[in-house]
Amino acid sequence: MLKKSILLVLSFLLLLFSQTIIVHADTQGSVPLKSLSIEEAVQLALANYADIKLTQWNIAKTDSQLLYVSTEKKKLEQKNVSVSNGMLPVNPDIFIKGIPNYNELSEEEQVGVNQSILIQIMINTSLNQLISAQSESQNSYNQEAKTAQLMEFGDQLRTLETDKVINQLRLHKTEAMIRYYAIQKYYQLCSLKKTIEYDKQESEYWFQQSEDTLRSYEHGVLSKKSMEDFNHKSAERKSVFERNLRSYEAQLEQFKLELGLSSYSEVILDDVISSTPEPGNWNTAISLSTNYDLQEEDAQIKLAKDNLDAVKASDTGLAAYYSVLWSSQIAHKNIVQQQLEEKLTGYKSEAHEIAFEYSQLKVKQLELLQTSQDNAALLSKGLISAAQADQSKLDLFNSNRELDKQKVAYALFQAKVTLALSGLIL
């Protein structure tokens, strides 16, 4: 039973050694391939991510509201809200002209008519005073309503103009974040792909060890416990390899979907890890003057100040409220700026830590490279066993693996610095 398990381990290692990374191959033999550079991945992300489209729609919505409110405000400014109610006649001639054959009446009859006209004129005069008072009251009310509506339009326009500025800033922030995410995802996938390649290289060592272990066990040199320990380690390596492979396939499929490349059965990424520059001292100066978060704070401060100025002369209570909002917004910006400065301080320590760890790994790699070369020479002279020489190769593989991971960490840090330079600090 134990020998059968050993053979299964050997079979797995043979399979692992010959394994290639294939994602959703076309069963009919037609496999659309897509070679994807990191620059193209960024452009596809910017073109396909829904967050950008949603932000653009918000900008269009705000522009439409701005146009509508601005148009309505201009209409109201030009509108005459005064009313002029008709006055009742108080001129005797008007009444006389309305009486047929007035001149043919006797003097006595004319006196009677004139008295009636005089009474009507007195009534009309009194009614005209009431009509005039009503017109004046209505005009005052209409003007107050117009002024209030104009003030409301003004408030809406200030808010919408601020929203437009903020939406534009958020569009830039979204674009910068998507660009960063695409680069980050590209490097992570390349790193995982590289890890699988190291797994395949490492499998050569395990394959040789399996053959040696089997021979040792068959000749009674190796105990059953040692054999079981070896099988356990081999099973662990198999599990790690399969997990990495499945993770790579799943993440690449998700990335393809996000970039609009789901029609391709296989997407091939460039080997960007090997071309990553080695980290050195970080001296990049990042200015907060172009930071999107602080620009958004400035827009909110301006809105609060404009609102305060708009009511300062007419509404003391509201002015006091807006004054508090203005001061609060300034304080909020100061807090945000302090937080950003603290994050930038963390960037420096992060850069130094990456550089230090990289230099340590580089020294270790050179030492292991020399050891591997020395052991190869000793093996050729029969002074050490093949297992010892293979172990030194395995150590060098693992050292290279760690060095590549550190290169990826530095590349992602550089992407974060670039993001900060563009105006967004994580």
Side-chain angles (χ1 to χ4, degrees):
M1 181 66 183
L2 186 57
K3 187 173 182 179
K4 182 178 180 181
S5 65
I6 297 171
L7 293 174
L8 288 173
V9 170
L10 285 169
S11 299
F12 158 69
L13 292 170
L14 281 170
L15 177 64
L16 178 60
F17 185 58
S18 61
Q19 180 80 38
T20 56
I21 302 174
I22 301 176
V23 182
H24 295 286
D26 191 340
T27 56
Q28 296 181 354
S30 175
V31 184
L33 299 179
K34 171 66 178 176
S35 180
L36 181 68
S37 68
I38 192 168
E39 294 81 8
E40 186 180 3
V42 169
Q43 295 306 315
L44 287 172
L46 291 172
N48 285 277
Y49 275 45
D51 288 348
I52 288 182
K53 297 175 182 177
L54 289 174
T55 307
Q56 289 172 336
W57 275 113
N58 285 336
I59 292 174
K61 176 183 174 183
T62 302
D63 286 344
S64 177
Q65 290 176 313
L66 258 173
L67 179 61
Y68 171 74
V69 175
S70 178
T71 301
E72 291 300 307
K73 183 172 181 290
K74 288 180 180 179
K75 286 181 182 178
L76 185 58
E77 287 171 341
Q78 298 169 359
K79 183 178 180 180
N80 183 10
V81 295
S82 298
V83 295
S84 179
N85 294 321
M87 306 295 285
L88 298 175
V90 292
N91 188 337
D93 292 339
I94 296 176
F95 291 98
I96 292 174
K97 289 179 180 180
I99 299 174
N101 302 319
Y102 175 80
N103 293 328
E104 296 177 4
L105 296 177
S106 64
E107 184 177 344
E108 184 179 349
E109 289 174 331
Q110 286 183 351
V111 170
V113 170
N114 289 341
Q115 289 177 344
S116 298
I117 290 174
L118 180 60
I119 294 173
Q120 187 62 50
I121 289 174
M122 293 174 62
I123 294 173
N124 286 0
T125 300
S126 178
L127 290 175
N128 282 343
Q129 291 176 347
L130 179 61
I131 291 172
S132 178
Q134 289 177 337
S135 297
E136 184 177 345
S137 176
Q138 183 65 45
N139 287 335
S140 176
Y141 173 81
N142 289 348
Q143 189 59 48
E144 288 177 0
K146 177 180 178 178
T147 302
Q149 184 63 55
L150 287 173
M151 290 181 63
E152 184 177 341
F153 282 149
D155 291 343
Q156 291 178 13
L157 286 174
R158 287 192 298 274
T159 300
L160 288 170
E161 285 165 357
T162 302
D163 288 345
K164 181 176 180 178
V165 171
I166 290 176
N167 283 335
Q168 288 286 357
L169 290 172
R170 289 177 180 173
L171 176 61
H172 295 322
K173 285 172 63 175
T174 302
E175 290 172 342
M177 275 301 301
I178 288 174
R179 187 178 292 106
Y180 171 75
Y181 171 78
I183 293 172
Q184 181 187 52
K185 195 65 181 177
Y186 197 99
Y187 270 102
Q188 288 172 345
L189 283 167
C190 288
S191 178
L192 190 51
K193 181 181 179 182
K194 197 79 170 179
T195 295
I196 295 170
E197 291 173 359
Y198 278 120
D199 288 340
K200 289 164 59 181
Q201 291 177 332
E202 188 179 336
S203 69
E204 183 178 3
Y205 164 81
W206 286 101
F207 177 71
Q208 183 62 47
Q209 287 294 305
S210 297
E211 290 183 322
D212 295 344
T213 301
L214 179 57
R215 283 195 296 269
S216 298
Y217 178 75
E218 289 175 338
H219 289 85
V221 178
L222 191 66
S223 68
K224 180 178 179 181
K225 176 68 168 58
S226 297
M227 177 60 69
E228 289 175 343
D229 289 342
F230 176 80
N231 288 340
H232 178 69
K233 289 181 181 179
S234 299
E236 285 182 343
R237 294 308 307 156
K238 175 184 178 182
S239 176
V240 169
F241 171 78
E242 290 180 342
R243 183 171 65 249
N244 287 337
L245 184 59
R246 298 289 88 77
S247 177
Y248 177 81
E249 291 174 340
Q251 290 185 46
L252 184 57
E253 278 301 304
Q254 179 65 30
F255 198 43
K256 285 163 54 181
L257 181 63
E258 292 170 342
L259 300 182
L261 300 176
S262 56
S263 60
Y264 292 93
S265 295
E266 185 176 359
V267 169
I268 302 172
L269 307 178
D270 292 342
D271 184 8
V272 293
I273 296 176
S274 60
S275 61
T276 304
E278 298 182 6
N281 293 327
W282 185 65
N283 296 316
T284 304
I286 298 176
S287 173
L288 292 178
S289 61
T290 58
N291 182 265
Y292 295 129
D293 292 322
L294 292 183
Q295 289 185 64
E296 186 172 329
E297 293 294 326
D298 287 336
Q300 296 287 10
I301 290 173
K302 182 179 183 301
L303 174 62
K305 182 63 167 63
D306 289 345
N307 285 338
L308 172 60
D309 292 341
V311 301
K312 188 181 293 184
S314 59
D315 192 328
T316 305
L318 192 56
Y321 169 69
Y322 278 140
S323 179
V324 172
L325 287 184
W326 179 40
S327 301
S328 174
Q329 198 62 54
I330 293 174
H332 189 270
K333 179 193 174 180
N334 292 335
I335 293 173
V336 171
Q337 182 162 342
Q338 180 182 349
Q339 292 173 334
L340 294 174
E341 290 170 351
E342 291 172 356
K343 288 181 180 180
L344 287 180
T345 301
Y347 277 29
K348 294 181 180 179
S349 61
E350 185 178 350
H352 293 153
E353 182 179 350
I354 291 174
F356 176 76
E357 291 183 8
Y358 186 89
S359 63
Q360 294 293 99
L361 287 170
K362 193 68 176 177
V363 170
K364 182 179 179 181
Q365 182 203 38
L366 293 175
E367 292 175 351
L368 291 172
L369 179 60
Q370 185 61 53
T371 300
S372 179
Q373 292 172 348
D374 292 344
N375 285 347
L378 292 172
L379 178 63
S380 66
K381 297 176 183 179
L383 298 177
I384 62 172
S385 67
Q388 289 175 299
D390 288 339
Q391 180 62 49
S392 65
K393 290 180 181 178
L394 178 62
D395 292 340
L396 183 58
F397 280 143
N398 289 330
S399 175
N400 291 336
R401 186 200 304 262
E402 292 303 314
L403 200 60
D404 278 343
K405 286 183 179 179
Q406 199 64 15
K407 286 181 179 180
V408 170
Y410 175 68
L412 294 179
F413 172 74
Q414 287 289 77
K416 191 166 69 170
V417 171
T418 301
L419 182 67
L421 290 169
S422 73
L424 183 57
I425 297 174
L426 295 180

